[in-house]
PDB file of all heavy atoms in Angstrom:
ATOM      1  N   VAL A  11      -5.340   3.007   2.540  1.00 95.00           N
ATOM      2  CA  VAL A  11      -6.676   2.622   2.486  1.00 95.00           C
ATOM      3  C   VAL A  11      -7.020   1.888   3.821  1.00 95.00           C
ATOM      4  O   VAL A  11      -6.159   1.450   4.480  1.00 95.00           O
ATOM      5  CB  VAL A  11      -6.974   1.558   1.368  1.00 95.00           C
ATOM      6  CG1 VAL A  11      -6.847   2.214   0.034  1.00 95.00           C
ATOM      7  CG2 VAL A  11      -6.023   0.504   1.375  1.00 95.00           C
ATOM      8  N   GLY A  12      -8.264   2.089   4.084  1.00 97.00           N
ATOM      9  CA  GLY A  12      -8.728   1.470   5.444  1.00 97.00           C
ATOM     10  C   GLY A  12     -10.122   0.843   5.235  1.00 97.00           C
ATOM     11  O   GLY A  12     -10.546   0.621   3.965  1.00 97.00           O
ATOM     12  N   ARG A  13     -10.767   0.607   6.293  1.00 96.00           N
ATOM     13  CA  ARG A  13     -12.191  -0.045   6.162  1.00 96.00           C
ATOM     14  C   ARG A  13     -12.960   0.433   5.016  1.00 96.00           C
ATOM     15  O   ARG A  13     -13.202   1.671   4.988  1.00 96.00           O
ATOM     16  CB  ARG A  13     -12.776  -0.037   7.486  1.00 96.00           C
ATOM     17  CG  ARG A  13     -12.199  -0.812   8.645  1.00 96.00           C
ATOM     18  CD  ARG A  13     -12.767  -0.709   9.954  1.00 96.00           C
ATOM     19  NE  ARG A  13     -12.105  -1.273  10.863  1.00 96.00           N
ATOM     20  CZ  ARG A  13     -11.176  -0.732  11.661  1.00 96.00           C
ATOM     21  NH1 ARG A  13     -11.050   0.590  11.635  1.00 96.00           N
ATOM     22  NH2 ARG A  13     -10.470  -1.395  12.642  1.00 96.00           N
ATOM     23  N   GLY A  14     -13.588  -0.419   4.247  1.00 94.00           N
ATOM     24  CA  GLY A  14     -14.501  -0.049   3.231  1.00 94.00           C
ATOM     25  C   GLY A  14     -13.861   0.219   1.939  1.00 94.00           C
ATOM     26  O   GLY A  14     -14.622   0.382   0.915  1.00 94.00           O
ATOM     27  N   ALA A  15     -12.468   0.326   1.766  1.00 94.00           N
ATOM     28  CA  ALA A  15     -11.897   0.520   0.553  1.00 94.00           C
ATOM     29  C   ALA A  15     -11.596  -0.742  -0.215  1.00 94.00           C
ATOM     30  O   ALA A  15     -11.323  -1.879   0.505  1.00 94.00           O
ATOM     31  CB  ALA A  15     -10.534   1.315   0.639  1.00 94.00           C
ATOM     32  N   VAL A  16     -11.751  -0.960  -1.480  1.00 93.00           N
ATOM     33  CA  VAL A  16     -11.529  -2.075  -2.204  1.00 93.00           C
ATOM     34  C   VAL A  16     -10.074  -2.638  -1.969  1.00 93.00           C
ATOM     35  O   VAL A  16      -9.951  -3.874  -1.575  1.00 93.00           O
ATOM     36  CB  VAL A  16     -11.719  -1.859  -3.743  1.00 93.00           C
ATOM     37  CG1 VAL A  16     -11.353  -3.202  -4.577  1.00 93.00           C
ATOM     38  CG2 VAL A  16     -13.127  -1.494  -4.083  1.00 93.00           C
ATOM     39  N   LEU A  17      -9.191  -1.862  -1.997  1.00 94.00           N
ATOM     40  CA  LEU A  17      -7.790  -2.323  -1.822  1.00 94.00           C
ATOM     41  C   LEU A  17      -7.542  -2.875  -0.371  1.00 94.00           C
ATOM     42  O   LEU A  17      -6.857  -3.871  -0.138  1.00 94.00           O
ATOM     43  CB  LEU A  17      -6.693  -1.276  -2.108  1.00 94.00           C
ATOM     44  CG  LEU A  17      -5.193  -1.785  -2.041  1.00 94.00           C
ATOM     45  CD1 LEU A  17      -4.980  -3.020  -2.851  1.00 94.00           C
ATOM     46  CD2 LEU A  17      -4.387  -0.620  -2.518  1.00 94.00           C
ATOM     47  N   ALA A  18      -8.267  -2.251   0.597  1.00 95.00           N
ATOM     48  CA  ALA A  18      -8.105  -2.831   2.004  1.00 95.00           C
ATOM     49  C   ALA A  18      -8.677  -4.277   2.119  1.00 95.00           C
ATOM     50  O   ALA A  18      -8.171  -5.113   2.710  1.00 95.00           O
ATOM     51  CB  ALA A  18      -8.795  -1.863   2.974  1.00 95.00           C
ATOM     52  N   GLU A  19      -9.778  -4.421   1.428  1.00 95.00           N
ATOM     53  CA  GLU A  19     -10.429  -5.762   1.419  1.00 95.00           C
ATOM     54  C   GLU A  19      -9.470  -6.717   0.642  1.00 95.00           C
ATOM     55  O   GLU A  19      -9.352  -7.928   1.064  1.00 95.00           O
ATOM     56  CB  GLU A  19     -11.748  -5.597   0.691  1.00 95.00           C
ATOM     57  CG  GLU A  19     -12.571  -6.910   0.708  1.00 95.00           C
ATOM     58  CD  GLU A  19     -13.169  -7.269   2.031  1.00 95.00           C
ATOM     59  OE1 GLU A  19     -13.283  -6.406   2.937  1.00 95.00           O
ATOM     60  OE2 GLU A  19     -13.367  -8.509   2.213  1.00 95.00           O
ATOM     61  N   GLU A  22      -6.719  -7.849   3.044  1.00 97.00           N
ATOM     62  CA  GLU A  22      -7.157  -8.672   3.979  1.00 97.00           C
ATOM     63  C   GLU A  22      -7.509  -9.966   3.511  1.00 97.00           C
ATOM     64  O   GLU A  22      -7.162 -11.055   4.082  1.00 97.00           O
ATOM     65  CB  GLU A  22      -8.321  -8.018   4.688  1.00 97.00           C
ATOM     66  CG  GLU A  22      -7.774  -6.884   5.583  1.00 97.00           C
ATOM     67  CD  GLU A  22      -8.924  -5.904   6.222  1.00 97.00           C
ATOM     68  OE1 GLU A  22     -10.036  -6.311   6.026  1.00 97.00           O
ATOM     69  OE2 GLU A  22      -8.522  -4.840   6.520  1.00 97.00           O
ATOM     70  N   ASN A  28      -4.149  -5.146   7.475  1.00 97.00           N
ATOM     71  CA  ASN A  28      -3.992  -3.897   6.879  1.00 97.00           C
ATOM     72  C   ASN A  28      -3.855  -2.801   7.919  1.00 97.00           C
ATOM     73  O   ASN A  28      -4.710  -2.530   8.738  1.00 97.00           O
ATOM     74  CB  ASN A  28      -5.306  -3.527   6.041  1.00 97.00           C
ATOM     75  CG  ASN A  28      -5.250  -2.244   5.396  1.00 97.00           C
ATOM     76  OD1 ASN A  28      -4.197  -1.828   4.853  1.00 97.00           O
ATOM     77  ND2 ASN A  28      -6.277  -1.559   5.167  1.00 97.00           N
ATOM     78  N   SER A  31      -6.461   0.168   8.132  1.00 97.00           N
ATOM     79  CA  SER A  31      -7.716  -0.305   8.928  1.00 97.00           C
ATOM     80  C   SER A  31      -7.351  -0.173  10.445  1.00 97.00           C
ATOM     81  O   SER A  31      -8.109   0.216  11.317  1.00 97.00           O
ATOM     82  CB  SER A  31      -8.216  -1.673   8.637  1.00 97.00           C
ATOM     83  OG  SER A  31      -8.648  -1.726   7.193  1.00 97.00           O
ATOM     84  N   VAL A  35      -8.232   4.197   9.735  1.00 97.00           N
ATOM     85  CA  VAL A  35      -8.772   4.924   8.458  1.00 97.00           C
ATOM     86  C   VAL A  35      -9.997   4.239   7.963  1.00 97.00           C
ATOM     87  O   VAL A  35     -10.002   3.038   7.930  1.00 97.00           O
ATOM     88  CB  VAL A  35      -7.459   4.837   7.482  1.00 97.00           C
ATOM     89  CG1 VAL A  35      -7.928   5.304   6.133  1.00 97.00           C
ATOM     90  CG2 VAL A  35      -6.370   5.405   7.968  1.00 97.00           C
ATOM     91  N   SER A  36     -10.862   5.028   7.530  1.00 96.00           N
ATOM     92  CA  SER A  36     -12.003   4.531   6.919  1.00 96.00           C
ATOM     93  C   SER A  36     -12.085   5.039   5.360  1.00 96.00           C
ATOM     94  O   SER A  36     -11.944   6.255   5.106  1.00 96.00           O
ATOM     95  CB  SER A  36     -13.365   5.097   7.505  1.00 96.00           C
ATOM     96  OG  SER A  36     -14.484   4.625   6.935  1.00 96.00           O
ATOM     97  N   GLY A  37     -12.102   4.219   4.467  1.00 95.00           N
ATOM     98  CA  GLY A  37     -12.093   4.492   2.985  1.00 95.00           C
ATOM     99  C   GLY A  37     -10.504   4.834   2.779  1.00 95.00           C
ATOM    100  O   GLY A  37      -9.625   4.143   2.788  1.00 95.00           O
ATOM    101  N   TYR A  38     -10.391   6.072   2.419  1.00 94.00           N
ATOM    102  CA  TYR A  38      -9.049   6.551   1.978  1.00 94.00           C
ATOM    103  C   TYR A  38      -8.633   7.704   2.888  1.00 94.00           C
ATOM    104  O   TYR A  38      -9.467   8.515   3.312  1.00 94.00           O
ATOM    105  CB  TYR A  38      -9.053   7.138   0.563  1.00 94.00           C
ATOM    106  CG  TYR A  38      -9.234   6.095  -0.508  1.00 94.00           C
ATOM    107  CD1 TYR A  38     -10.622   5.757  -0.895  1.00 94.00           C
ATOM    108  CD2 TYR A  38      -8.218   5.291  -1.003  1.00 94.00           C
ATOM    109  CE1 TYR A  38     -10.846   4.666  -1.710  1.00 94.00           C
ATOM    110  CE2 TYR A  38      -8.532   4.337  -1.966  1.00 94.00           C
ATOM    111  CZ  TYR A  38      -9.778   3.994  -2.299  1.00 94.00           C
ATOM    112  OH  TYR A  38     -10.031   2.980  -3.219  1.00 94.00           O
ATOM    113  N   VAL A  97     -14.051  -3.673  -8.164  1.00 89.00           N
ATOM    114  CA  VAL A  97     -14.212  -5.197  -7.947  1.00 89.00           C
ATOM    115  C   VAL A  97     -14.696  -5.720  -9.363  1.00 89.00           C
ATOM    116  O   VAL A  97     -15.587  -5.284 -10.037  1.00 89.00           O
ATOM    117  CB  VAL A  97     -15.224  -5.338  -6.936  1.00 89.00           C
ATOM    118  CG1 VAL A  97     -15.537  -6.841  -6.710  1.00 89.00           C
ATOM    119  CG2 VAL A  97     -14.820  -4.685  -5.612  1.00 89.00           C
TER     120      VAL A  97
END
Side-chain angles (χ1 to χ4, degrees):
V11 294
R13 290 180 189 93
V16 172
L17 184 52
E19 184 73 19
E22 293 166 10
N28 180 39
S31 296
V35 174
S36 180
Y38 295 88
V97 176

